[in-house]
Amino acid sequence: MPIRLVDRNPVVPADQLIANMVPPTMFDDVSFASYIPDPAEPTQAEAVAKAEEFAGKVGKIRSGGKRGLFGKKTQATGAGLYLDGGFGVGKTHLLASIYHATPEPKAFGTFVELTHVVGALGFTKALEEFSNHSVLCIDEFELDDPGDTMLVSRLLTELSGRGVSIVATSNTLPGQLGEGRFAAQDFLREIKKLGSIFEAVRVDGPDYRHRDLPPAPDPLSDEDLTAAAERIENASLDDFDELVKHLSTLHPSRYGKLIEGVEQVFVSGVHAAPDQSVALRIVVLADRLYDAGTPVTVSGAKLDELFTEEMLQGGYRKKYLRATSRLLALSRFASV
């Protein structure tokens, strides 16, 4: 009998939130050496070199510092690196490689996860907990929520002053290089006090998740979907409307725990998200599914029809395109 995600109500204790900030399992074994730059995209090789150089700085900064007039050692300011590029060019691979190459304690999470942690712990507690870290790796830094951006900017400013190095990635639309550079400038402008230590590095290239791959599989019928879910041990099977309703009752920081131990997710009756709040919850769930490498199979609409054209033209366009890219990749790994 398949698992029903809607029957799960996971709880993540506050003291585990930061401890759980590690790279997704699919990036457990990545390194700078395992990133294979595309010869046609010279910025990729340059980004690898910059990332490796940055990782080398981190340990020196934490163990370094300057002697003051009375011999007291002051902590050096943390270093900063900003990897800017399109979807699926390997920025997260480089981010995880930096994480693996730097000393403990350290933390890795998406911008959304970081805001959830700060919200759950409170600003002062979060600052205290992160202050002893060598590096904070932030994937998918976003500028679409001014409140969250300023909150995290303040946190990063404080942490950098305490010697914590910061590395962040962002997503820009493929082929829109100007937009990517403007995004980098927006980011640097938002965190003015950090701007002088951040080095923005461009990473160009096509989305590797769809490189030379066929389109995602067509949705199954409801009957075939149920039969497939019943054949796979530890698979989940939920109705789309029931699932998104259940997601609204959970804090997004609990979505990862929601799918823990699930081998494959099956969702029936998929259709376009009715509003932005539902769409944004789907984005977070898609990210957690992708982090876990959990295949997805659906009935109803295709996975590239989850977000309406109006949504794709709005301020959350990048989030929706990223989620679509990830869900399509996961659908190709599915067993049916």
Side-chain angles (χ1 to χ4, degrees), residues 85-122:
F87 305 108
V89 295
K91 300 187 305 298
T92 304
H93 181 129
L94 292 177
L95 194 66
S97 298
I98 290 172
Y99 176 91
H100 294 314
T102 49
E104 297 280 359
K106 51 194 172 182
F108 180 111
T110 65
F111 177 85
V112 171
E113 288 176 302
L114 182 59
T115 59
H116 293 161
V117 167
V118 177
L121 296 181

Coordinates of all heavy atoms in Angstrom, one line a residue, residues 85-122:
G85 N 24.5 32.8 -12.9 CA 24.3 32.1 -14.2 C 23.0 31.5 -14.3 O 22.1 31.7 -13.5
G86 N 22.8 30.8 -15.4 CA 21.5 30.3 -15.8 C 21.2 29.0 -15.0 O 22.0 28.5 -14.2
F87 N 20.1 28.3 -15.4 CA 19.7 27.1 -14.8 C 20.6 25.9 -15.3 O 21.0 25.8 -16.4 CB 18.3 26.7 -15.2 CG 17.3 27.8 -14.8 CD1 16.7 28.6 -15.8 CD2 16.9 28.0 -13.5 CE1 15.8 29.6 -15.5 CE2 16.0 29.0 -13.2 CZ 15.4 29.8 -14.2
G88 N 21.0 25.0 -14.3 CA 21.6 23.8 -14.7 C 23.0 23.9 -15.3 O 23.4 23.1 -16.2
V89 N 23.8 24.9 -14.9 CA 25.1 25.1 -15.4 C 26.2 24.6 -14.4 O 27.4 24.7 -14.6 CB 25.4 26.5 -15.8 CG1 24.6 26.9 -17.0 CG2 25.3 27.5 -14.6
G90 N 25.7 24.0 -13.3 CA 26.7 23.5 -12.3 C 27.1 24.4 -11.2 O 28.0 24.1 -10.5
K91 N 26.3 25.4 -10.9 CA 26.6 26.3 -9.8 C 26.5 25.6 -8.5 O 27.3 25.8 -7.6 CB 25.7 27.6 -9.8 CG 25.8 28.4 -11.1 CD 25.1 29.7 -11.0 CE 23.6 29.5 -10.6 NZ 22.9 28.7 -11.6
T92 N 25.5 24.8 -8.3 CA 25.3 24.1 -7.0 C 26.4 23.1 -6.9 O 26.9 22.8 -5.7 CB 23.9 23.4 -7.0 OG1 22.9 24.3 -7.2 CG2 23.7 22.7 -5.6
H93 N 26.9 22.4 -7.9 CA 28.0 21.5 -7.9 C 29.2 22.3 -7.3 O 29.9 21.8 -6.4 CB 28.3 21.0 -9.3 CG 29.5 20.1 -9.4 ND1 29.4 18.9 -10.0 CD2 30.8 20.1 -8.9 CE1 30.5 18.2 -10.0 NE2 31.4 19.0 -9.3
L94 N 29.5 23.5 -7.8 CA 30.6 24.3 -7.3 C 30.4 24.7 -5.9 O 31.4 24.7 -5.1 CB 30.9 25.5 -8.2 CG 31.3 25.2 -9.6 CD1 31.4 26.5 -10.4 CD2 32.7 24.5 -9.6
L95 N 29.2 25.1 -5.5 CA 28.9 25.5 -4.2 C 29.1 24.3 -3.2 O 29.8 24.5 -2.1 CB 27.4 25.9 -4.1 CG 27.0 26.7 -2.8 CD1 27.7 28.0 -2.8 CD2 25.5 26.9 -2.8
A96 N 28.7 23.1 -3.6 CA 28.9 22.0 -2.7 C 30.4 21.6 -2.6 O 30.9 21.1 -1.6 CB 28.1 20.8 -3.2
S97 N 31.1 21.8 -3.7 CA 32.5 21.5 -3.7 C 33.3 22.5 -2.8 O 34.2 22.0 -2.1 CB 33.1 21.7 -5.1 OG 32.5 20.8 -6.1
I98 N 32.8 23.7 -2.7 CA 33.4 24.7 -1.7 C 33.1 24.2 -0.3 O 34.0 24.2 0.6 CB 32.8 26.1 -2.0 CG1 33.4 26.7 -3.3 CG2 33.2 27.0 -0.8 CD1 32.8 28.0 -3.7
Y99 N 31.9 23.7 -0.1 CA 31.5 23.2 1.2 C 32.4 22.1 1.6 O 32.9 22.1 2.8 CB 30.0 22.8 1.2 CG 29.5 22.2 2.5 CD1 29.0 22.9 3.5 CD2 29.7 20.8 2.7 CE1 28.5 22.4 4.7 CE2 29.2 20.2 3.9 CZ 28.7 21.0 4.9 OH 28.2 20.4 6.0
H100 N 32.6 21.1 0.8 CA 33.4 19.9 1.1 C 34.9 20.3 1.3 O 35.5 19.6 2.1 CB 33.3 18.9 0.0 CG 31.9 18.3 -0.2 ND1 31.2 17.9 0.9 CD2 31.2 18.1 -1.3 CE1 30.0 17.4 0.4 NE2 30.0 17.5 -0.9
A101 N 35.3 21.4 0.7 CA 36.8 21.7 0.8 C 37.1 22.7 1.9 O 38.3 23.0 2.1 CB 37.2 22.3 -0.5
T102 N 36.1 23.0 2.7 CA 36.3 24.0 3.8 C 36.2 23.4 5.2 O 35.5 22.3 5.3 CB 35.4 25.2 3.7 OG1 34.0 24.7 3.5 CG2 35.8 26.1 2.5
P103 N 36.8 23.9 6.2 CA 36.8 23.3 7.5 C 35.4 23.5 8.3 O 34.7 24.4 8.0 CB 37.9 24.1 8.3 CG 38.0 25.4 7.6 CD 37.7 25.1 6.2
E104 N 35.2 22.5 9.2 CA 34.0 22.6 10.0 C 34.2 23.7 11.1 O 35.3 24.0 11.4 CB 33.8 21.2 10.7 CG 33.5 20.1 9.8 CD 32.0 20.0 9.4 OE1 31.3 20.9 9.8 OE2 31.7 19.1 8.6
P105 N 33.1 24.2 11.6 CA 31.7 24.0 11.2 C 31.4 24.9 10.0 O 32.0 25.9 9.8 CB 30.9 24.5 12.5 CG 31.8 25.5 13.1 CD 33.2 25.0 12.9
K106 N 30.4 24.5 9.3 CA 30.0 25.2 8.0 C 28.6 24.8 7.8 O 28.0 23.9 8.3 CB 30.9 24.7 6.9 CG 31.0 23.2 6.7 CD 32.1 22.8 5.8 CE 32.4 21.2 5.9 NZ 33.5 20.8 5.0
A107 N 27.9 25.6 6.9 CA 26.5 25.3 6.6 C 26.2 25.5 5.1 O 26.9 26.4 4.4 CB 25.6 26.3 7.4
F108 N 25.2 24.8 4.6 CA 24.8 24.8 3.2 C 23.3 24.8 3.1 O 22.7 23.9 3.7 CB 25.4 23.6 2.4 CG 25.1 23.6 1.0 CD1 26.1 23.8 0.0 CD2 23.8 23.3 0.5 CE1 25.8 23.7 -1.3 CE2 23.5 23.2 -0.8 CZ 24.5 23.4 -1.8
G109 N 22.7 25.7 2.4 CA 21.3 25.7 2.3 C 20.8 26.7 1.2 O 21.6 27.6 0.8
T110 N 19.6 26.6 0.8 CA 19.0 27.5 -0.2 C 18.7 28.8 0.6 O 18.6 28.9 1.8 CB 17.8 27.0 -0.8 OG1 16.8 26.8 0.2 CG2 18.0 25.7 -1.5
F111 N 18.5 29.9 -0.2 CA 18.1 31.2 0.4 C 16.8 31.0 1.2 O 16.6 31.5 2.3 CB 17.9 32.2 -0.7 CG 17.4 33.5 -0.2 CD1 18.3 34.5 0.2 CD2 16.1 33.8 -0.3 CE1 17.8 35.7 0.6 CE2 15.6 35.1 0.2 CZ 16.5 36.0 0.6
V112 N 15.8 30.2 0.6 CA 14.6 30.0 1.3 C 14.8 29.2 2.6 O 14.2 29.6 3.6 CB 13.6 29.2 0.4 CG1 12.3 28.8 1.1 CG2 13.2 30.1 -0.8
E113 N 15.6 28.2 2.6 CA 15.9 27.5 3.8 C 16.5 28.4 4.9 O 16.2 28.3 6.1 CB 16.8 26.3 3.5 CG 16.2 25.1 2.7 CD 17.1 24.1 2.4 OE1 18.1 24.3 1.7 OE2 16.9 22.9 2.8
L114 N 17.4 29.2 4.4 CA 18.1 30.1 5.4 C 17.1 31.1 6.0 O 17.1 31.3 7.3 CB 19.2 30.9 4.7 CG 20.0 31.9 5.6 CD1 20.7 31.2 6.7 CD2 21.0 32.7 4.7
T115 N 16.1 31.6 5.2 CA 15.1 32.5 5.8 C 14.2 31.7 6.8 O 13.8 32.3 7.8 CB 14.3 33.2 4.8 OG1 13.6 32.2 4.0 CG2 15.1 34.1 3.8
H116 N 14.0 30.5 6.5 CA 13.1 29.7 7.4 C 13.9 29.4 8.7 O 13.3 29.5 9.8 CB 12.8 28.3 6.7 CG 11.9 28.4 5.6 ND1 11.8 27.4 4.6 CD2 11.1 29.5 5.2 CE1 10.9 27.8 3.7 NE2 10.5 29.0 4.0
V117 N 15.2 29.2 8.6 CA 16.0 28.9 9.9 C 16.0 30.2 10.7 O 15.8 30.2 11.9 CB 17.4 28.5 9.5 CG1 18.3 28.6 10.7 CG2 17.4 27.1 8.9
V118 N 16.2 31.4 10.1 CA 16.3 32.6 10.8 C 14.9 32.9 11.4 O 14.8 33.4 12.6 CB 16.7 33.8 9.9 CG1 16.7 35.1 10.7 CG2 18.1 33.5 9.4
G119 N 13.9 32.6 10.7 CA 12.5 32.8 11.2 C 12.2 31.9 12.4 O 11.6 32.3 13.4
A120 N 12.7 30.7 12.3 CA 12.4 29.7 13.4 C 13.2 30.0 14.7 O 12.7 29.9 15.8 CB 12.7 28.3 12.9
L121 N 14.5 30.4 14.5 CA 15.4 30.6 15.6 C 15.4 32.0 16.2 O 15.7 32.2 17.3 CB 16.9 30.3 15.2 CG 17.2 28.8 14.8 CD1 18.7 28.7 14.5 CD2 16.8 27.8 15.9
G122 N 15.0 32.9 15.3 CA 15.1 34.3 15.7 C 16.4 34.9 15.2 O 17.4 34.1 15.1

